[in-house]
Every structure is written in C-alpha cells, then in structure tokens.
Amino acid sequence: MGKYAEFTAFRQKLNKKILEQGNLEIKRFFALDGQVYQPGVLDGKTKELLGLSASLVLRCDDCISYHIIQAREAGASRAEIFETFGIALLVGGSIVIPHLRRAVDFLEELEHPGPG
Amino acid sequence: MGKYAEFTAFRQKLNKKILEQGNLEIKRFFALDGQVYQPGVLDGKTKELLGLSASLVLRCDDCISYHIIQAREAGASRAEIFETFGIALLVGGSIVIPHLRRAVDFLEELEHPGPG
Amino acid sequence: MGKYAEFTAFRQKLNKKILEQGNLEIKRFFALDGQVYQPGVLDGKTKELLGLSASLVLRCDDCISYHIIQAREAGASRAEIFETFGIALLVGGSIVIPHLRRAVDFLEELEHPGPG
Amino acid sequence: MGKYAEFTAFRQKLNKKILEQGNLEIKRFFALDGQVYQPGVLDGKTKELLGLSASLVLRCDDCISYHIIQAREAGASRAEIFETFGIALLVGGSIVIPHLRRAVDFLEELEHPGPG
Amino acid sequence: MGKYAEFTAFRQKLNKKILEQGNLEIKRFFALDGQVYQPGVLDGKTKELLGLSASLVLRCDDCISYHIIQAREAGASRAEIFETFGIALLVGGSIVIPHLRRAVDFLEELEHPGPG
Amino acid sequence: MGKYAEFTAFRQKLNKKILEQGNLEIKRFFALDGQVYQPGVLDGKTKELLGLSASLVLRCDDCISYHIIQAREAGASRAEIFETFGIALLVGGSIVIPHLRRAVDFLEELEHPGPG
C-alpha cells in the first residue's frame, strides 16, 4: 500500500473512532473544519493553499498531505504549490525543510501512483 | 502617533540598524523575504494572504500587521481578509483569538485613521 | 484603569467587532470555545485548569489571564493554580517563565484590586 | 510487539543511556519531571490530565502516549480523556487532529491489547 | 526608566513573588535554570549564545533580552551576537524578524544607556 | 540500511527534487542555509551547536540529526553535545525529551555504525 492509500485509510478509520465517542464539541469542531474550506469570497483553491501555508509553518505532515490532495483536486498547479512552499519556507525557516521534503515525496506519489 | 505610524516607524528604524551591521546572511535573508511575495504564478494578493495565514497561526502580531497592510494594498477586501482569519482560526485554534482581536483593531485603524 | 479592567474592556470591544463581521465559521468557533469549558464528566474548575495548562505552554498571555479569571471563579485556590503553573513550566521549559511572571502579576491584581 | 510495548521499551532503553552520560542538569530535570506529577493539592489524575492537555497542544506524540498511560492508571475514564481531548482541540486547533488520531489509536491498543 | 532597568526590576520583583509561594518544583526548576549556564566543557559565553539561539527561534523577547545581557557580560562581541542572530533567523524564519528588531533595540540601549 | 544511511539518502534524493523544480526563492534559501554555518567570528563547531540548540527546542528530528553529524565533523565532543542537550532541555521543557531520546539513539549509531 502506497503512502497515499495508507494515509487515507488510517485517517478515515480513526476519524470514525473519534466521532463514535460522541463528544459533542469534538464533533462540531470536525464539522466546522470541513466548512471553513468551502468556496466563499475566496475560491476553494485559494482556501486550500491558505490551509497548506498554515500547515507548513506549523509543520504538521498529515495536514500538509491533506491540503496537497485538496489543492490538487481544486485545480492548483505544481508551480502554485511550490510558490506556496516558498512563502512557508521564508516565514517558517529551515525547520520547514524536512516537511517540504516529505511534502514533495507525497506530491510525487500523488502524481505518479505506483501499481498499488 | 497612531498604531500604524508607530509600527511603521519602529520597523523602518530597526531594519536600518540591523542591515547596517553588515552581516551578509541577514542581509540576504531580508532581500529574499521581499522577493518571495512578488507576483508569480500566484498573484500578489494571494501571496500576501498566504503570508497572513502563516503569520496568524504562528501568532506573530507584527507579521500579521505587515501582511494586512500589504494585502489591502494588493486589493484584498475586508471579507477576503476575514475568510483568511477564519481558516487560520480553525487551523491554529483559540490561541489565535487574541491575535485576531489585535489584527481587527489594526485593520480598523488602517481603514479609519484618526486625525494623527 | 488596572490590568484586569483594561484586558476585559479590550476583549469585549474587539470580540464584538469580530462577530459583527458576520463570518459564519468564526462565529461558530467562538460559540464552541465557550461550550467546551462547560461542566461535563470533568467539573468546570478542572476544565479551566486544563485550559490554563494548555495556554501556558503555548505562551498566550491573554489566554492565561482569561483562564486565571475563570479558574478563580470556578473555585480554584492559589495553590492549585501554582501546581498547574509547575506542570506547565516542566512541560514547556524556561520560555514559560516570562509568562508565569505576567500571570502572577495578573493574579495579584485580581486578588488585590487597586482603588481603580 | 505492539505499539505500547515498543514505546515503553525504546523509552526505557534511551532514558537509561541519557542518564548514564552523567550530565547533572539533565539528571535533575528528569527527576523533577517525575516529581511534578505527584499528588499535591491537585490529585494525581488531574495532574496527568494537565500534562496530557499540555502535550496535546504542543503536539508531542510520545508525551501524549505517556500521559494517557499515566492518566488511565490514575483512574481517568475514557470520557474524561475525551473531554481533555476536546479542550486541547479547541485551544490548539485542527493541527491537533493528527495527534488525536494517533492518541485514540494508542488508547485503543491500551484497552484491547493484542495477543502480543 | 529605560527598557533595561524596567525589564530587570519587573523580573526581580515577580521572580521573588513566584518563589515566595513555596511550590517546590518551581523553585527547583528556577535553580536548575541558573546552573545549566555555568561554565562546563563549554565556556560561559558559548552557553549564553546557545540560550540566545534557542530563545530567538522560540520568539521569547524576555529570554532574548536576558541572554543578550548575560552574553555581553561573558564577553560576547556584537559581531558574535549578530552571527547568532543570523543562524536563528535562518532556522526560525521571517517570524523571528520582529524579535530581532526588539533585540537590536535592547542591545543598543545596553551599549548606550540614556541618562536614566 | 542504518538510520544514518537512510536519513542521508532520503535527504539527498528529495533536496535534488526540490531544487530541480526551479523555484528561485527556494533555491536561494537552500544556498543561504549552507552559508550561515560557515566559520566567521564564531567557529564552525560553535555555529553547529547553535543550530543544534535551535533545532532541539523547535523539536525538528531531521534538523537535530543533521546538526549532530555536522557538529561531530567540526570536532564537537560527546560531552559538549550533551551540554547543548542540557540547555535545550531547560529552555524547551520536557517535550524535548522524546527528541533527546532519538538524538542519543542517532548519535550512538553514528559512533558505532553497524555492519551496514
């Protein structure tokens, strides 16, 4: 199983377990976390890049992977994603680099999935 | 002197002092920090909002003020700035709120400058 | 005006401005941020101390002040607050100390308000 | 070897190596890190939840696992742990979610250990 | 009262109040925080610069001011402090810049104290 | 393949991919990130320890591994590295401990490489 499939499977399985517990505030937070990226005065692609920029400087690998998937689906080009990488790198500094390496590795698999 | 004028004056005075020291890497970093927000495949407004989103989740008041100024000059509307606030709030959590309050206070002064 | 009154006045004024903008996700986040500290299987005092511990290690002065107010109202003693400080100090390290100083300064004013 | 056993084995082996080096400040810090969670005016369970809340917002997986183990041993219920999760999620934002997923995965193994 | 005198006075007054509370772990942490910068295999100046580098990337203004005072007393030159600034800037990114500005402002006052 | 070889291979492969994309600001940042550790008024060993201290408190495992390699090559002793660990532990708190464990594990492999 490739990185993409593994990431998605674990994410879905555990999100389900978290929501099953029935904690109301956690459930509402998860719902809100979906709504905030819906197109508004800013389009969906821009919103995903904003989420990506925030995730990069906070150095959250899973969040980075997630927003790369979403940004690609919303039509972001490779060059647009790299310009977002560049801004996050300048804002967040060299500690962002290891996450950038894993982000590019993930992006490559997304673009050239193996035989699975 | 209002918040905007005070912020800009201190910023310019100390940037000058930092660059005068002649440390080469610091000078290059400052140059690079200007270049990365120049329009590319992403336009200038989007780049400023990406910088704003990153600054909000890292809770850097001066960086937030700076990118609000730049985003406004690049044509970002109040609603676009608030959608950026919303994403940063969800990503970064309630610790972003005090910075959001100061950001809105700064934005208000920018839009309705006092008699000076 | 003392630190407590100043903090509360700015907080209320800007929260009002933020909510007036009408961004739905921000409004929902603010509501959720109130609900999560309501008594549940954990009592209100414990929840406020959990919020205080999280705010201390994330070094958010306004959040610390807010949870000190709330914890005191929920019946937390000075010694309980200091044990929370101790845990946050060990978890977060010496960079927490400046925030601890401001927290104790705030706590002192809360306990011994000046003539106003 | 399950996640719990692997975590504990690596933790013990490397703690031993760190302490063997004989650096006095590191040894004292490790001792202090144990003392701060001893019952005081706050009971042991509350202290572990305070450590858990701090670890969640700082997004330290190993610290989260450790405090989940300790909180369970001190008598914390699943619902109490989830209310702590909820507060940390609101304070720390959506970047806490990947750590929450791993925390729930760890908690599940703790409650339903495999055949080993 | 200048920035330096104000910083030192507040620091001493509140440290005293914190230690008076008699929380044992907090007192031990404060003691340990002094010991770790004592000369060892690394000399005192290098240790202060290590503390400065860590404080800069964690963006703790009071910690930065403190280590600048200590590094100067241990014989660090302006150029050595600026090379430390350069490393912290690269590691921590542009969000370090506002703290760098305040650090240079503090350093200037330290070198050219006003009439008091 | 040991941890050291794996780390180095992934690092080189992905750095190459990142630079191939041709984003100018990212390329310049990478160049600057090399220059800042070159000997200046501070020698190379001290600069690597400053990078290590910053990486430890920011809890970046790959950055820690990299600066351990570089510090060893620049002649830093085990005791000097542990004193740097001690300072970072005090500044950054107990959340640094898991990274310290992995750092010591990495250091051990560096000093006693397996048969490969």
Side-chain angles (χ1 to χ4, degrees):
Chain A
M1 190 158 56
K3 276 185 210 77
Y4 172 67
E6 208 178 317
F7 167 73
T8 305
F10 182 76
R11 191 174 176 279
Q12 285 174 350
K13 179 181 142 202
L14 269 305
N15 278 7
K16 190 161 166 289
K17 278 195 188 297
I18 291 171
L19 297 176
E20 275 170 6
Q21 175 73 17
N23 180 297
L24 199 59
E25 285 79 26
I26 295 179
K27 287 171 85 166
R28 284 185 180 154
F29 188 95
F30 271 62
L32 205 43
D33 189 34
Q35 292 158 21
V36 84
Y37 297 103
Q38 293 306 309
V41 291
L42 295 171
D43 59 38
K45 184 183 78 175
T46 301
K47 286 194 162 185
E48 290 300 335
L49 294 179
L50 291 171
L52 178 58
S53 157
S55 301
L56 278 158
V57 297
L58 290 175
R59 303 156 52 207
C60 172
D61 285 329
D62 284 6
C63 316
I64 295 167
S65 298
Y66 179 73
H67 287 295
I68 286 178
I69 295 170
Q70 298 295 103
R72 290 299 268 169
E73 284 187 8
S77 70
R78 208 174 206 269
E80 288 173 325
I81 287 176
F82 266 78
E83 285 196 2
T84 304
F85 286 171
I87 288 172
L89 180 59
L90 258 288
V91 174
S94 68
I95 44 156
V96 170
I97 293 176
H99 304 273
L100 213 53
R101 283 196 282 263
R102 290 191 282 272
V104 171
D105 195 40
F106 187 85
L107 182 60
E108 296 267 317
E109 185 183 302
L110 209 62
E111 291 173 343
H112 312 288
Chain B
M1 189 156 59
K3 274 185 212 78
Y4 172 67
E6 207 178 317
F7 168 74
T8 305
F10 183 77
R11 192 174 175 278
Q12 285 175 349
K13 179 180 143 202
L14 269 306
N15 279 6
K16 191 161 166 290
K17 277 193 190 299
I18 290 171
L19 297 176
E20 275 170 8
Q21 175 73 16
N23 181 297
L24 200 59
E25 285 80 27
I26 295 180
K27 287 170 85 166
R28 284 185 181 153
F29 188 96
F30 272 62
L32 205 44
D33 189 35
Q35 291 159 20
V36 85
Y37 298 103
Q38 293 306 309
V41 292
L42 294 171
D43 59 38
K45 185 183 79 175
T46 301
K47 286 194 162 186
E48 290 300 336
L49 294 179
L50 290 171
L52 178 57
S53 157
S55 301
L56 279 159
V57 296
L58 289 175
R59 302 158 51 209
C60 172
D61 285 330
D62 283 7
C63 315
I64 294 167
S65 297
Y66 180 73
H67 286 295
I68 286 178
I69 295 170
Q70 299 294 103
R72 289 299 267 169
E73 284 187 8
S77 69
R78 207 173 207 270
E80 287 173 326
I81 287 176
F82 266 77
E83 285 196 1
T84 304
F85 286 171
I87 288 172
L89 180 59
L90 258 289
V91 174
S94 67
I95 46 157
V96 171
I97 293 177
H99 304 272
L100 212 55
R101 283 197 281 263
R102 289 191 284 272
V104 171
D105 195 41
F106 187 86
L107 182 62
E108 296 266 316
E109 186 183 303
L110 209 62
E111 291 174 343
H112 312 287
Chain C
M1 189 157 58
K3 274 184 211 75
Y4 172 67
E6 208 178 317
F7 168 73
T8 305
F10 183 76
R11 192 176 175 278
Q12 286 175 349
K13 179 181 141 201
L14 269 305
N15 278 6
K16 191 161 166 290
K17 276 193 189 299
I18 290 171
L19 297 176
E20 275 171 7
Q21 175 74 16
N23 181 297
L24 200 60
E25 285 79 28
I26 295 180
K27 287 171 85 166
R28 283 184 181 155
F29 188 96
F30 272 62
L32 205 43
D33 189 34
Q35 291 159 21
V36 85
Y37 297 103
Q38 293 305 310
V41 291
L42 295 171
D43 59 38
K45 185 184 77 175
T46 301
K47 287 194 161 185
E48 290 300 336
L49 295 179
L50 290 171
L52 178 57
S53 158
S55 301
L56 279 159
V57 297
L58 289 175
R59 303 157 50 208
C60 172
D61 285 329
D62 283 6
C63 315
I64 294 168
S65 298
Y66 179 73
H67 287 296
I68 286 178
I69 296 170
Q70 299 295 103
R72 289 299 269 168
E73 284 186 9
S77 70
R78 207 173 207 270
E80 288 173 325
I81 287 176
F82 266 78
E83 285 196 2
T84 304
F85 286 170
I87 288 172
L89 180 58
L90 258 289
V91 174
S94 68
I95 45 156
V96 171
I97 293 177
H99 304 272
L100 212 53
R101 284 196 281 264
R102 289 191 283 272
V104 171
D105 194 41
F106 188 84
L107 182 61
E108 296 266 316
E109 186 183 303
L110 209 61
E111 291 173 344
H112 312 287
Chain D
M1 189 156 58
K3 275 185 211 77
Y4 172 67
E6 207 178 317
F7 168 74
T8 305
F10 183 77
R11 192 175 175 277
Q12 285 174 350
K13 179 180 142 201
L14 269 305
N15 279 6
K16 190 161 167 289
K17 278 194 189 296
I18 290 171
L19 297 175
E20 275 170 7
Q21 174 74 16
N23 180 298
L24 200 59
E25 286 79 27
I26 294 179
K27 287 170 85 166
R28 284 186 181 153
F29 188 95
F30 272 62
L32 204 44
D33 189 34
Q35 292 159 21
V36 84
Y37 298 103
Q38 294 306 309
V41 292
L42 295 171
D43 59 39
K45 184 183 79 174
T46 302
K47 286 194 163 187
E48 291 300 336
L49 294 179
L50 290 171
L52 178 57
S53 156
S55 301
L56 279 158
V57 297
L58 289 175
R59 303 158 50 208
C60 173
D61 285 330
D62 283 6
C63 316
I64 294 168
S65 298
Y66 179 72
H67 287 296
I68 286 178
I69 295 170
Q70 298 295 103
R72 290 299 268 168
E73 283 187 9
S77 69
R78 208 173 207 269
E80 287 173 325
I81 287 176
F82 266 78
E83 285 196 2
T84 304
F85 286 170
I87 288 172
L89 180 59
L90 258 288
V91 174
S94 66
I95 45 157
V96 171
I97 293 176
H99 304 272
L100 212 55
R101 283 195 282 262
R102 290 191 283 272
V104 171
D105 194 41
F106 188 85
L107 182 61
E108 296 266 316
E109 185 183 302
L110 209 62
E111 291 174 343
H112 311 288
Chain E
M1 190 157 59
K3 274 185 212 76
Y4 172 67
E6 208 177 317
F7 168 73
T8 305
F10 183 77
R11 192 175 175 278
Q12 286 175 349
K13 178 180 142 201
L14 269 305
N15 279 6
K16 192 163 165 288
K17 277 195 189 297
I18 290 171
L19 297 175
E20 275 171 7
Q21 174 75 15
N23 181 296
L24 200 59
E25 285 80 27
I26 294 179
K27 286 171 86 167
R28 284 184 181 155
F29 188 96
F30 272 62
L32 204 44
D33 189 35
Q35 291 159 22
V36 85
Y37 297 103
Q38 293 306 308
V41 292
L42 295 171
D43 59 39
K45 185 183 77 176
T46 302
K47 286 194 162 186
E48 290 300 336
L49 295 179
L50 290 171
L52 179 56
S53 156
S55 301
L56 278 159
V57 297
L58 289 175
R59 304 159 48 210
C60 172
D61 285 330
D62 284 6
C63 315
I64 294 167
S65 297
Y66 179 73
H67 287 296
I68 285 178
I69 295 171
Q70 299 295 104
R72 290 298 269 169
E73 284 187 8
S77 69
R78 207 173 206 271
E80 288 173 325
I81 287 176
F82 267 78
E83 285 195 2
T84 304
F85 287 170
I87 288 171
L89 180 59
L90 258 289
V91 174
S94 67
I95 46 156
V96 171
I97 293 178
H99 304 272
L100 213 54
R101 283 196 282 263
R102 290 190 282 272
V104 171
D105 193 41
F106 188 86
L107 183 61
E108 296 266 316
E109 186 183 303
L110 209 62
E111 292 174 342
H112 311 288
Chain F
M1 189 158 57
K3 274 185 210 75
Y4 172 67
E6 206 178 319
F7 168 73
T8 305
F10 183 76
R11 192 176 175 277
Q12 286 174 349
K13 178 181 142 201
L14 269 304
N15 279 7
K16 191 161 165 289
K17 278 194 189 297
I18 290 171
L19 297 176
E20 275 170 7
Q21 175 74 16
N23 180 297
L24 199 60
E25 285 79 28
I26 295 180
K27 287 171 85 167
R28 284 187 180 151
F29 188 96
F30 272 62
L32 204 43
D33 189 35
Q35 292 159 21
V36 84
Y37 297 103
Q38 293 306 308
V41 293
L42 296 170
D43 59 38
K45 184 183 79 176
T46 302
K47 286 194 162 186
E48 290 300 336
L49 294 179
L50 290 171
L52 178 57
S53 156
S55 301
L56 278 159
V57 298
L58 289 176
R59 305 159 48 209
C60 172
D61 285 329
D62 284 6
C63 315
I64 294 167
S65 297
Y66 179 73
H67 287 296
I68 286 178
I69 295 170
Q70 299 294 103
R72 291 297 269 169
E73 284 187 9
S77 69
R78 208 174 206 270
E80 288 173 325
I81 287 175
F82 267 77
E83 285 195 3
T84 304
F85 286 170
I87 288 171
L89 180 59
L90 258 289
V91 174
S94 67
I95 46 156
V96 171
I97 293 177
H99 304 272
L100 213 53
R101 284 196 281 262
R102 290 191 283 272
V104 171
D105 194 41
F106 188 84
L107 182 60
E108 296 266 316
E109 185 184 302
L110 209 61
E111 291 173 344
H112 312 288

